[in-house]
Amino acid sequence: MQPPVTEREAQADAKGPAGDTPPLPGPDAALFLDFDGTLVDIAQTPDQVVLPADLVPTLARLHARLQGAVAIITGRPLGQIDAFLAPLQLAGAGEHGAVRRLPSGELLSAPTPDLSDIAVQLDAFVQTRPGLRVERKRHGVALHYRGAPQFEPECLSLARELAAPRADLALLHGKAVVEFKPADVDKGRALQALMQTPPFLGRAPVFLGDDTTDEAAIVAADRLGGQGVKVGPGPSAARYRLAGPAAVLAHLQAAAARLDGFSV
């Protein structure tokens, strides 16, 4: 197996104008899906996202047709995803891969970094800048500025200053967010690890994601003989593109219909 691509390498490859409509996954596919910006439209705050009515039934249908080889790979904690997708509980990875859940339900977790000092400094920073929000996770801490985009330069400057002396941490710059996370954790590594386990083992990975934080998984899927799909605008290493979450849902519904034919 090839060594994992680093996030820096993946984002350096994110140049091409991905534009081709992806082929529908077949019965030998393993489906990996980002959540925000991919399955649902990004909201002002994470708890305000709205799920399309047909999303959970479509995912459940795909899960059955692919013998369980459907997973969510997200920056959110997995518990938040479970709440949105209930009663469906999928395998996957949360916090950019710091926590992985196997199809059996077993949880595998990376070491938890000490982020207390960084969180304290971020809390103090947002007190004087209305609209900013600090999000604490078990393995990371994020500074959101979607509600006050005028503060983006200050947010990025502070984040780089706080991350500079920490070799154990990596800094992620996503859509209106900058996040501290363990340096050896990313979505590409999470995808590759899940591909080592049944029912993903031996299948062709298909990953759909919208953000720069998804590029490592897009590249990993391609390297493992599958396909990466960029959702929405922006440069990407992906060969394929879908316009947004509505197009993703339509693609997944078409895939489920195709897979129904294989089960007859």
Side-chain angles (χ1 to χ4, degrees), residues 56 59-60 63 68 70-72 78-92 101-107 200:
V56 172
L59 292 177
H63 184 264
V70 179
I72 302 291
L78 286 174
Q80 292 183 12
I81 302 301
D82 293 342
F84 281 117
L85 299 185
L88 191 61
Q89 187 179 88
L90 299 173
R101 181 167 61 208
L102 304 182
S104 66
E106 179 185 2
L107 291 174
F200 305 100

Side-chain angles (χ1 to χ4, degrees), residues 179-191:
E179 182 169 349
F180 302 82
K181 69 167 187 65
D184 58 352
V185 161
D186 61 51
K187 292 185 178 183
R189 289 180 172 91
L191 185 150

